[in-house]
Amino acid sequence: EADIYQTPRYLVIGTGKKITLECSQTMGHDKMYWYQQDPGMELHLIHYSYGVNSTEKGDLSSESTVSRIRTEHFPLTLESARPSHTSQYLCASSEYGGSGKRNEQFFGPGTRLTVL
Amino acid sequence: QQQVKQSPQSLIVQKGGIPIINCAYENTAFDYFPWYQQFPGKGPALLIAIRPDVSEKKEGRFTISFNKSAKQFSLHIMDSQPGDSATYFCAASYGGSQGNLIFGKGTKLSVKP
């Protein structure tokens, strides 16, 4: 079964703190993504990765950074959290490369971040 | 510039009704058009998808209609149920599995019993 995990599910933190949002998938997918979604709003792509040691910036500028040291793991880090970073962060993964591959993205449950 | 425009923003129907959600796109290079369903507190999940070489695709009670010349596509939900109440996002991408999805703003659907 396809699974993608995100921790923590909820995080309330003070301004200036460093945070890391975890994302792991067990599907062996090469491509992974981070989206930012405000309540009731569309998804904005902030980072993606084609595989190990690959990271790219998405359409929405973000002060966060990502790393991809292992295929299954794609953490997102904010060095100094601010109230403007309050949002929901969704991680996703998909197959990549080769003909006939589906572009279906599988999403995790999200991390709801509140910065006070 | 929003590349995928979705309407309406919200929709209320009675049980058994047929809600229709519309999306329009600008980029003619798009070659994959999925719809995602999101329940509160969950991540989106793929509902149904279409490629531009077909005009309609059905999966159960969900149908995508695609009009390539008008650059529009829509989702129809037949015999809607209260359990269909969710937010629906259309999206588009190009380059097959290599393309990133560009999402519409979403439609919040409420199906009344």
Side-chain angles (χ1 to χ4, degrees):
Chain A
E1 182 178 308
D3 278 311
I4 181 162
Y5 307 94
Q6 289 187 245
T7 57
R9 292 293 313 279
Y10 303 92
L11 180 61
V12 180
I13 202 162
T15 297
K17 299 291 186 181
K18 177 180 179 179
I19 61 168
T20 296
L21 307 184
E22 301 289 347
C23 175
S24 295
Q25 50 97 3
T26 60
M27 297 169 278
H29 286 164
D30 286 318
K31 198 169 181 185
M32 296 188 73
Y33 315 76
W34 276 102
Y35 291 88
Q36 186 173 338
Q37 182 185 32
D38 292 326
M41 301 295 287
E42 72 262 50
L43 290 78
H44 291 288
L45 181 66
I46 51 175
H47 298 284
Y48 60 101
S49 165
Y50 290 109
V52 171
N53 294 326
S54 157
T55 60
E56 305 284 344
K57 291 189 179 295
D59 304 321
L60 181 68
S61 176
S62 174
E63 294 169 344
S64 59
T65 59
V66 292
S67 62
R68 191 89 182 274
I69 299 173
R70 303 198 318 265
T71 297
E72 65 271 21
H73 193 215
F74 191 40
L76 180 145
T77 298
L78 274 166
E79 290 292 333
S80 179
R82 295 207 301 269
S84 61
H85 295 138
T86 294
S87 188
Q88 172 159 266
Y89 293 84
L90 289 162
C91 181
S93 71
S94 69
E95 294 179 340
Y96 173 70
S99 61
K101 289 287 180 67
R102 297 182 64 188
N103 198 10
E104 177 179 0
Q105 292 186 22
F106 293 87
F107 283 83
T111 294
R112 187 167 296 279
L113 172 66
T114 302
V115 183
L116 303 176
Chain B
Q1 180 186 2
Q2 189 182 5
Q3 295 194 57
V4 180
K5 295 183 180 180
Q6 183 172 348
S7 63
Q9 188 174 358
S10 62
L11 189 54
I12 301 174
V13 300
Q14 292 295 125
K15 177 182 174 182
I18 306 176
I20 300 173
I21 304 170
N22 300 299
C23 282
Y25 62 96
E26 297 291 329
N27 191 340
T28 55
F30 288 147
D31 60 4
Y32 176 72
F33 302 89
W35 284 90
Y36 279 78
Q37 180 188 53
Q38 185 179 28
F39 292 105
K42 305 285 187 181
L46 179 67
L47 191 61
I48 186 173
I50 198 168
R51 296 198 183 273
D53 52 344
V54 298
S55 60
E56 185 177 276
K57 184 175 181 180
K58 290 184 181 181
E59 286 187 5
R61 295 183 293 108
F62 300 92
T63 298
I64 298 179
S65 297
F66 186 83
N67 186 329
K68 188 174 182 178
S69 60
K71 294 188 286 186
Q72 295 176 348
F73 58 110
S74 60
L75 176 70
H76 301 234
I77 306 176
M78 309 301 289
D79 187 27
S80 59
Q81 302 295 313
D84 296 330
S85 298
T87 300
Y88 293 81
F89 293 93
C90 63
S93 71
Y94 57 87
S97 66
Q98 304 186 38
N100 293 330
L101 290 175
I102 297 170
F103 286 87
K105 287 184 177 289
T107 296
K108 186 173 183 180
L109 172 66
S110 179
V111 181
K112 301 297 186 184

